[in-house]
Amino acid sequence: MSQNSIEQLLNIMKQLRDPESGCPWDTKQTFASIVPHTIEEVYEVADAIEQQDYKELQGELGDLLFQVVFYAQMAKEQNLFEFDDITATLNEKLIRRHPHVFSGKEFADEQAVHANWEAEKEKERALKAQAADKDDSVLDNIPLAIPALSRAYKIQKRCANVGFDWKKLAPVIDKIKEELDEVLVEVKRDDLTEQQKQLRIEDELGDLLFANVNLVRHLKCNPEQVLRQANHKFETRFRLVELEVFKQGRLMSDCSLEELEDIWVKVKDRLNSDAAY
């Protein structure tokens, strides 16, 4: 994007927010009110990438950039900061976090580069905590609004960076088995009210999910991406099951579970066979 196109975009946003001649929808928005739209745009970017639709990705990235410009305009109106302040802060951060690129500093390997990156982020957290007059924690600044699966992953990574982590896979797997057993204990209890029992089950299920995220992390995968792939795989198979049932002139609700499972297995085998070629 050229400087002129950036300036044009900023001017468009300024006009949209003009109290007298702007767009009624844009003028009434606040920081809080457009957060859901920002989150939606992020997911639409991710979806375009997953679909490998790069023409669509171009448009979705523009929509996401518009969100940044929207926040910048509102901040300017309140004398908080401007778009140039956003880019200046970003430029400074990127240069500081990449001394091996911009300052000639040498690192032994990629692991050392990553360690330096984490050290810089730790300094930033400490400075923020100092400015807010509170104790510093490695868990500071992990957004509450991100999906719980991603947040669990980030929490675990932060803890691992300071050594609070198993070094081998066996105890990670043992922990999952332990948490599953605890879920089943709560399921079988009959000495609680239904509400109490449900709360206990939810608590133990949360521990089980957290333990599974830990396994995914130890196997060097991202839980959000892994689950997205699983969702896509299940959806693909289920749609084919629906199609097979439709070809038989039947409804899903007319089939027994055994019949549907038989079709599912055949669909799965066919897809696996196609993938082999």
Side-chain angles (χ1 to χ4, degrees):
M1 179 182 286
S2 68
Q3 185 65 31
N4 287 339
S5 61
I6 293 175
E7 291 176 357
Q8 181 182 21
L9 177 58
L10 294 173
N11 285 330
I12 289 172
M13 187 69 253
K14 183 178 179 180
Q15 286 181 260
L16 289 173
R17 287 280 296 179
D18 188 283
E20 296 182 1
S21 59
C23 170
W25 186 89
D26 290 284
T27 56
K28 72 178 182 180
Q29 299 309 309
T30 65
F31 286 111
S33 70
I34 64 170
V35 166
H37 301 282
T38 306
I39 295 172
E40 181 180 342
E41 295 300 348
V42 171
Y43 281 116
E44 289 180 358
V45 166
D47 188 64
I49 293 173
E50 190 166 311
Q51 301 296 327
Q52 297 186 351
D53 188 343
Y54 299 112
K55 180 63 177 177
E56 183 69 15
L57 176 61
Q58 175 183 323
E60 296 300 347
L61 286 171
D63 292 342
L64 184 57
L65 176 59
F66 178 72
Q67 298 295 306
V68 177
V69 171
F70 209 137
Y71 289 116
Q73 176 60 32
M74 290 189 293
K76 182 176 181 180
E77 293 165 3
Q78 300 177 40
N79 296 316
L80 299 174
F81 55 81
E82 299 186 19
F83 184 80
D84 283 348
D85 298 316
I86 296 173
T87 55
T89 300
L90 176 60
N91 291 342
E92 186 278 330
K93 182 189 295 184
L94 291 174
I95 292 171
R96 174 166 42 80
R97 288 185 177 179
H98 296 84
H100 54 297
V101 176
F102 301 104
S103 303
K105 188 172 182 178
E106 296 184 0
F107 295 103
D109 50 29
E110 185 178 343
Q111 186 175 358
V113 171
H114 179 72
N116 178 75
W117 174 277
E118 292 298 335
E120 284 297 323
K121 291 172 68 175
E122 176 60 31
K123 290 178 185 176
E124 293 170 13
R125 287 194 293 269
L127 289 172
K128 287 181 180 179
Q130 184 178 4
D133 193 25
K134 67 175 185 179
D135 294 332
D136 177 33
S137 170
V138 296
L139 300 181
D140 285 346
N141 306 315
I142 301 178
L144 291 171
I146 62 174
L149 200 65
S150 294
R151 194 163 193 273
Y153 179 62
K154 284 181 173 290
I155 288 172
Q156 292 174 7
K157 284 182 65 179
R158 292 275 186 93
C159 292
N161 285 336
V162 295
F164 193 74
D165 192 20
W166 283 302
K167 302 302 180 185
K168 297 183 178 180
L169 195 61
V172 177
I173 296 173
D174 289 342
K175 186 63 176 176
I176 292 174
K177 294 177 180 177
E178 175 190 325
E179 297 297 351
L180 178 57
D181 287 341
E182 292 181 4
V183 169
L184 296 178
V185 166
E186 297 303 330
V187 169
K188 295 174 183 177
R189 289 185 67 159
D190 59 5
D191 60 335
L192 301 171
T193 67
E194 282 301 314
Q195 183 178 14
Q196 290 172 329
K197 182 176 180 178
Q198 189 63 28
L199 289 173
R200 296 288 290 268
I201 290 173
E202 288 179 6
D203 184 58
E204 296 300 344
L205 283 172
D207 292 343
L208 178 59
L209 283 172
F210 194 84
N212 275 279
V213 170
N214 202 27
L215 174 61
V216 174
R217 182 180 61 83
H218 270 265
L219 294 176
K220 303 187 184 308
C221 296
N222 183 296
E224 195 73 33
Q225 183 61 30
V226 167
L227 188 56
R228 284 173 67 88
Q229 291 170 352
N231 289 343
H232 175 71
K233 181 168 62 177
F234 180 89
E235 184 178 357
T236 298
R237 292 174 179 175
F238 187 82
R239 287 178 182 274
L240 289 173
V241 170
E242 288 181 311
L243 183 60
E244 288 295 324
V245 172
F246 176 76
K247 287 179 179 178
Q248 296 175 13
R250 306 168 69 191
L251 298 174
M252 293 283 286
S253 56
D254 294 334
C255 302
S256 68
L257 179 58
E258 289 75 16
E259 289 175 309
L260 293 175
E261 286 182 338
D262 182 60
I263 298 173
W264 174 274
V265 171
K266 291 177 181 177
V267 163
K268 180 180 176 181
D269 289 344
R270 186 169 75 243
L271 287 173
N272 289 339
S273 177
D274 291 343
Y277 293 95

